[in-house]
Amino acid sequence: MLAYLVIREGTKWTDVFRLTPGRTVTIGRGSTNEIVIKDERCSRNHAEVFLTAGEWTIRDLDSRNGTIVRGEAIHGDHTLIPGDIIRIAHCQLAFVHDLSKAFVDADEEESPNPDGRETVSGAVYIGLSDSHVLDSFEPTHITHRRNQTKFLERKVDLDVASVPKVGQAATKLCRLAFELANQTDVIAVANLALDGVFEGTNVDAGAVLVGPSSDDETTPTHDMLEVVASRTDSETRYHRVSEFLASMVLREGEAVLARNIEGDSALSIRDSKGLFVASSVICAPIRQGKRVFGLMHMYGTTASKTLDADDLEFTLAVADNVALALKNLEAKQKLTENLTQTRSEVRQLRQQLGVESELVGSSPQIIQVQQEIGRAAPSRATVLIRGESGVGKELVARAVHYSSPRKKGPFVCLNCAALSESLLESELFGHERGAFTGATERKIGKFEAAHQGTLMLDEIGEMSPAIQSKFLRVLEGHPFERVGGSQQIKVDVRVIAATNRDLEKAVADGTFRRDLYFRLHVVDINIPPLRRRPGDTLELASHFLERFSEETGRKFHGFTPHAMEVLQRYRWPGNIRELKNVIERAVLLAQGDFIDTVDLTLSNLSTASESGEITLPGRSQYEPVSLADIERRHIETTLRSTEWNKSKTSEILGIERSTLDRKIKRYELKRPS
């Protein structure tokens, strides 16, 4: 079965495509199609033609603008009959079986056909010379424009004779407004505005004058206006606007056009020789709301450059666009300044926070802590920090956070010992409005606040068993609910716990959950007290001295030798926190250029209850000694207390009399005379 598609583009038949049974012919804008139609209204894969059940069928492939057959849009499959006209975008395809009948001389006699098509001598006639029937069916179409509109181009191809003056002015203003919005400084805006007025009006001289920047509603005077940019196309230079005209526009806020101004002394513009240089003048306000803060002063120098009402309207429109551009530019500059200031503040805060997060010291103990921080930081594992009160557990937690991939996220701290059970639950998980008395609004908990960051829980050993259970579920990745709420909340938070309690003993006593202990005890960092790293004492003292000296503005040359000896001997029951406070007080109260012992206020508190360390008899502070030395001193002290009664001494020590004799001989102990 022979069939053809005769292709017509515009008023010409351009091609003939033979349809072959068993072969599907695709039509579309894409280059892979059998029939390519280069029109934006044609879809990439628009339609296809194929033979089915002995009949040729066309199928629309969900095209944007549709496929028209016999003047009607088709949907899905449509059977073709000889003489059908297929219309896709601007292209027409005639479907015929007999190619010789597709082209009929237009001069032959025509007779009407009942189905609406024209016939000649019984043959189907495709209206080649008379296409008004086809053109009467105009389908809906969509046109796409990827590039910039032509009205924003510098050279717009307009037929001046066919486009009215208002349309030309609108096109120029459209382009000018777009370009003004892209300028980065006041001078560029002024120069561009002058170019636009010179292009759109008959002026040949002018300037943009702007008053001082002010946040109030004050209108500048004539003397306060500064010429930002000026231009002249004549031989004479630009002459400033008269005080009378400027004051009128600044006061009234309305644009003024004055013509034939040669005889008016208040409006005329003269050169240095007293000659008139302008025949007509325009002065338009640059305004924001009711406040006028600048002027556009334009004039023509010859009779051929006489300005009219259209020039006034155009100049006023440009002035309004200049005002908007300057307003946006000022807002952008303020935003940039605020952003720069904010970035500077953030940078300073980060630097301060970095200083706060630095661990000062060079002892082997603190170096080991730094190494443990470096190993723990990159992972997401829970960290348990142990140490006495005041050793800097929060600083270690900050160091872990700011050394981890979460350093850009929030770092949130919460002291579990400072709150009751109900308040601690609300602080951790948040609460809904009305959850309890005083809950007047929804509150976000610390877990939500620390999303994608780190949550440090200090004094974790003080957490009640009920909170421990809920806390454990969140640590294991389960969602939680706010107090009084039902919404499931899931967060991504790394937890760092800190304590000065013996958690193993708390687990044995039943006050701390065993499963929570094992969940927290993933990475364990122990911070030694300051008395166990005496080499860091002077280094920390110097660090705090420099810091507080900068804050107070006082200058110190350091510590006296006696003060350094006292600082090293003292056992620091309050650890680094106590050392910091001692140095801060010394900086405030010291009289000389050096910190001396009289400036140091030290306590008499003992640390035995905190650390369990043994203080040797006759000693006021702990010092590292061997077990043999401790035994010798203890035996000697016990003998003195019993006045060298060896039987009583051996009974107190829990050893045999013979064992005591051997130890007395070994340690060369002698009874005092």
Side-chain angles (χ1 to χ4, degrees):
M1 181 182 295
L2 296 178
Y4 303 90
L5 288 177
V6 183
I7 304 172
R8 174 183 178 183
E9 295 185 7
T11 59
K12 298 180 180 180
W13 297 95
T14 59
D15 201 359
V16 176
F17 194 91
R18 180 177 178 180
L19 301 176
T20 304
R23 177 182 176 185
T24 300
V25 177
T26 59
I27 306 171
R29 182 163 45 88
S31 59
T32 57
N33 292 284
E34 303 283 345
I35 300 176
V36 178
I37 300 176
K38 296 181 179 180
D39 191 316
E40 290 185 355
R41 293 172 295 177
C42 179
S43 299
R44 185 172 297 276
N45 296 299
H46 197 103
E48 59 183 11
V49 178
F50 54 91
L51 184 66
T52 176
E55 295 181 333
W56 287 99
T57 303
I58 185 170
R59 174 183 295 166
D60 182 79
L61 301 177
D62 295 327
S63 61
R64 286 197 309 267
N65 293 307
T67 302
I68 309 299
V69 178
R70 292 200 297 273
E72 295 182 358
I74 65 171
H75 301 283
D77 295 352
H78 182 85
T79 302
L80 294 173
I81 59 177
D84 279 347
I85 301 296
I86 304 168
R87 183 164 183 165
I88 297 176
H90 72 284
C91 183
Q92 300 175 20
L93 300 91
F95 174 77
V96 295
H97 282 170
D98 187 353
L99 190 59
S100 62
K101 296 182 180 181
F103 304 97
V104 181
D105 189 355
D107 295 331
E108 295 185 18
E109 182 181 359
E110 302 176 1
S111 60
N113 199 36
D115 62 2
R117 288 173 291 171
E118 299 172 340
T119 60
V120 178
S121 302
V124 177
Y125 174 72
I126 303 172
L128 301 180
S129 60
D130 187 5
S131 59
H132 68 277
V133 177
L134 298 175
D135 292 338
S136 63
F137 301 99
E138 190 67 34
T140 302
H141 60 81
I142 302 171
T143 302
H144 292 265
R145 287 284 283 115
R146 293 190 178 90
N147 298 324
Q148 178 177 276
T149 173
K150 64 181 181 180
F151 294 119
L152 297 181
E153 297 175 0
R154 261 296 175 187
K155 294 183 179 179
V156 182
D157 186 14
L158 293 175
D159 186 356
V160 178
S162 60
V163 178
K165 189 174 182 180
V166 174
Q168 298 177 36
T171 301
K172 294 174 182 177
L173 284 173
C174 176
R175 185 190 71 243
L176 182 61
F178 180 80
E179 293 177 347
L180 285 172
N182 291 324
Q183 302 309 306
T184 57
D185 59 80
V186 178
I187 296 177
V189 170
N191 284 320
L192 187 60
L194 289 176
D195 293 342
V197 175
F198 273 68
E199 180 184 351
T201 65
N202 286 324
V203 303
D204 54 7
V208 175
L209 301 89
V210 178
S213 177
S214 177
D215 295 331
D216 57 23
E217 296 297 324
T218 303
T219 300
T221 63
H222 172 263
D223 296 334
M224 297 169 63
L225 294 176
E226 178 184 355
V227 177
V228 179
S230 63
R231 174 179 167 181
T232 176
D233 289 349
S234 62
E235 296 179 355
T236 60
R237 63 178 179 82
Y238 164 75
H239 293 273
R240 186 181 174 92
V241 61
S242 66
E243 183 176 359
F244 173 78
L245 184 58
S247 300
M248 180 193 305
V249 176
L250 289 171
R251 182 179 61 254
E252 302 295 337
E254 296 180 353
V256 173
L257 165 63
R259 292 184 288 188
N260 303 322
I261 63 176
E262 291 85 350
D264 192 325
S265 59
L267 297 174
S268 62
I269 302 174
R270 301 171 183 263
D271 59 14
S272 58
K273 298 179 181 180
L275 299 177
F276 296 105
V277 296
S279 59
S280 54
V281 61
I282 289 175
C283 192
I286 301 175
R287 56 200 175 188
Q288 291 180 2
K290 296 181 179 180
R291 176 176 176 260
V292 179
F293 65 94
L295 300 174
M296 289 198 70
H297 176 228
M298 319 300 298
Y299 58 86
T301 60
T302 62
S304 61
K305 292 289 186 178
T306 301
L307 306 179
D308 57 19
D310 290 337
D311 296 328
L312 176 65
E313 292 292 336
F314 189 86
T315 304
L316 180 59
V318 173
D320 288 340
N321 277 284
V322 169
L324 183 59
L326 293 180
K327 179 181 179 181
N328 293 336
L329 184 60
E330 183 180 2
K332 182 179 179 181
Q333 290 174 344
K334 288 183 178 180
L335 182 62
T336 302
E337 292 174 359
N338 293 337
L339 183 60
T340 303
Q341 182 179 359
T342 302
R343 286 177 176 173
S344 177
E345 292 175 355
V346 170
R347 191 181 305 110
Q348 293 176 4
L349 290 174
R350 286 189 179 275
Q351 290 175 353
Q352 294 177 6
L353 191 58
V355 171
E356 292 291 330
S357 299
E358 290 179 357
L359 301 179
V360 178
S362 55
S363 64
Q365 295 93 331
I366 201 65
I367 291 176
Q368 181 180 354
V369 170
Q370 292 172 346
Q371 293 173 348
E372 292 175 352
I373 291 173
R375 288 192 292 266
S379 69
R380 299 183 57 183
T382 305
V383 179
L384 178 61
I385 302 175
R386 306 198 201 206
E388 296 179 10
S389 178
V391 295
K393 296 187 288 294
E394 183 175 339
L395 293 183
V396 173
R398 287 184 182 275
V400 172
H401 171 73
Y402 286 103
S403 300
S404 71
R406 296 172 176 262
K407 61 183 178 181
K408 293 185 179 179
F411 178 80
V412 181
C413 296
L414 179 64
N415 191 326
C416 300
L419 301 170
S420 64
E421 179 178 334
S422 58
L423 287 179
L424 179 59
E425 183 179 13
S426 174
E427 285 292 323
L428 278 175
F429 308 109
H431 63 253
E432 298 289 348
R433 180 180 180 182
F436 49 82
T437 303
T440 58
E441 58 184 12
R442 172 186 287 181
K443 179 179 179 180
I444 300 299
K446 299 299 184 185
F447 266 107
E448 289 182 79
H451 180 59
Q452 294 185 339
T454 303
L455 173 63
M456 180 198 174
L457 298 177
D458 200 5
E459 306 297 346
I460 190 71
E462 306 298 329
M463 187 179 289
S464 67
I467 304 297
Q468 290 177 29
S469 177
K470 191 172 182 179
F471 175 57
L472 177 61
R473 283 187 54 83
V474 179
L475 278 183
E476 292 177 343
H478 296 284
F480 62 91
E481 300 172 356
R482 300 189 189 99
V483 178
S486 58
Q487 179 184 357
Q488 295 287 313
I489 302 172
K490 190 174 180 63
V491 293
D492 175 20
V493 174
R494 181 182 190 175
V495 173
I496 298 179
T499 184
N500 60 2
R501 292 185 57 185
D502 186 349
L503 290 185
E504 289 80 1
K505 185 176 183 302
V507 171
D509 295 341
T511 58
F512 199 82
R513 292 179 62 101
R514 180 183 297 270
D515 47 4
L516 178 58
Y517 168 78
F518 289 118
R519 186 66 182 81
L520 293 174
H521 195 252
V522 179
V523 178
D524 198 337
I525 299 178
N526 283 282
I527 308 175
L530 184 56
R531 60 183 172 276
R532 290 189 183 176
R533 45 189 180 105
D536 293 336
T537 303
L538 292 182
E539 192 172 346
L540 284 164
S542 300
H543 169 75
F544 290 130
L545 178 62
E546 180 181 358
R547 172 180 168 184
F548 293 125
S549 296
E550 291 180 357
E551 292 182 0
T552 59
R554 301 191 61 186
K555 301 295 182 182
F556 291 94
H557 300 302
F559 299 90
T560 64
H562 192 199
M564 289 190 290
E565 183 181 353
V566 171
L567 289 173
Q568 285 186 302
R569 280 205 322 262
Y570 185 64
R571 55 197 312 261
W572 302 107
N575 290 293
I576 301 175
R577 182 184 293 118
E578 182 184 5
L579 174 61
K580 175 183 175 182
N581 295 335
V582 167
I583 301 301
E584 184 177 10
R585 183 181 183 278
V587 169
L588 294 175
L589 302 180
Q591 300 296 325
D593 296 334
F594 289 86
I595 303 295
D596 203 352
T597 53
V598 296
D599 304 318
L600 302 175
T601 304
L602 305 177
S603 69
N604 295 321
L605 296 176
S606 172
T607 61
S609 61
E610 296 176 347
S611 62
E613 296 165 353
I614 298 175
T615 302
L616 296 177
R619 302 282 178 170
S620 61
Q621 64 180 28
Y622 169 81
E623 62 180 33
V625 293
S626 65
L627 289 175
D629 195 13
I630 293 177
E631 186 180 44
R632 181 184 65 78
R633 295 182 185 183
H634 186 57
I635 292 174
E636 183 179 15
T637 304
T638 307
L639 286 169
R640 287 178 181 177
S641 67
T642 61
E643 298 180 350
W644 276 76
N645 186 330
K646 295 183 179 180
S647 298
K648 190 175 182 179
T649 299
S650 61
E651 181 180 350
I652 293 174
L653 296 176
I655 58 177
E656 297 292 335
R657 171 70 182 270
S658 58
T659 304
L660 177 61
D661 289 335
R662 287 197 303 272
K663 291 184 181 293
I664 291 174
K665 184 177 181 180
R666 180 195 306 169
Y667 296 131
E668 298 179 352
L669 301 177
K670 294 181 180 181
R671 183 172 184 173
S673 57

